[in-house]
Amino acid sequence: MASTTSSVTVFSVLVIVSCFGFLEMTMAGDPDILTDFVVPATVNASQGVDGIFFTFTGLESLMAADPPATFKATKVSMAEFPALNGQSVGYAVLQFPAMTTNPPHTHPRSAELLLLIDGSLEVGFIDTANKLYTQSLQSGDIFVFPKGLVHFQYNSDPQNPAVAVSAFGSANAGTVSLPTTLFASGLDDNVLAISFKTDVDTIQKLKAGLAPPKP
């Protein structure tokens, strides 16, 4: 009888642990909302919102502007467009002058679906087995970067720019830039030197190259 009771107890614990594991998986993305949309606390409740709230005009300036001199990502996330809160979607417009790159980075909260609008791009990502997947994209091509994996985009054309639009399954996908995170966050020089099997002088040169320009 004691053995049966013990088995039931163990089974119950396993069920509870499994349930918590499932809940963690389901909560990994943006949380579901219980209303049609989320109105910011700063909005007067009696006035509510209108169509303007659901309209983002921040990309209008890109339409007639000259191409940027360096790589530029214009984000459309919850921070820039509050109406996205709770909707689990986001966008970014990526502009690549000739011979520029979007450095290796990750999006911890979403996959990225990139549509190349103009030009050509070399793209790729690295999986958790350290395998590199690359592809050459032409205008009209779509490429998916799996959630959380390190990836990059590179315009190798020496003369022509490229433009892409990326969609995200999160209103706040987040971006972790590897160069910035490693060399412009104050991480100890000795830790980096040992990790990259180099010397502190080399690490300091890398940090200096990523330091923001002095005003």
Side-chain angles (χ1 to χ4, degrees), residues 18-208:
S18 298
C19 288
F20 276 115
F22 179 74
L23 286 172
E24 287 296 324
M25 291 173 61
T26 58
M27 293 171 63
D30 289 1
D32 288 334
I33 58 176
L34 301 178
T35 55
D36 294 335
F37 49 86
V38 178
V39 178
T42 54
V43 174
N44 189 312
S46 61
Q47 294 178 342
V49 298
D50 55 18
I52 295 175
F53 176 70
F54 301 98
T55 305
F56 182 74
T57 61
L59 299 181
E60 289 182 0
S61 60
L62 300 183
M63 301 305 157
D66 293 331
T70 59
F71 166 75
K72 181 180 180 181
T74 304
K75 298 180 180 180
V76 188
S77 69
M78 190 173 71
E80 296 81 20
F81 190 15
L84 296 184
N85 188 5
Q87 302 304 320
S88 299
V89 292
Y91 271 101
V93 176
L94 309 178
Q95 296 173 280
F96 299 84
M99 301 297 292
T100 60
T101 184
N102 187 1
H105 62 282
T106 70
H107 301 295
R109 293 182 286 275
S110 176
E112 176 181 356
L113 190 64
L114 181 144
L115 168 62
L116 184 57
I117 302 297
D118 187 39
S120 61
L121 283 178
E122 305 298 321
V123 302
F125 67 87
I126 304 167
D127 69 10
T128 54
N130 210 37
K131 181 177 179 180
L132 174 64
Y133 300 81
T134 61
Q135 184 63 35
S136 298
L137 303 183
Q138 303 300 319
S139 298
D141 290 344
I142 291 177
F143 191 86
V144 62
F145 302 97
K147 178 181 177 179
L149 297 185
V150 174
H151 59 280
F152 69 91
Q153 300 105 22
Y154 170 48
N155 179 10
S156 61
D157 191 317
Q159 296 181 328
N160 300 306
V163 179
V165 175
S166 286
F168 300 94
S170 170
N172 186 20
T175 300
V176 180
S177 170
L178 269 62
T180 302
T181 298
L182 293 173
F183 300 106
S185 63
L187 195 57
D188 186 84
D189 291 349
N190 292 293
V191 172
L192 291 169
I194 294 170
S195 299
F196 286 93
K197 295 180 172 55
T198 186
D199 53 73
V200 170
D201 286 343
T202 300
I203 295 299
Q204 291 178 344
K205 288 178 182 178
L206 289 168
K207 286 188 172 184

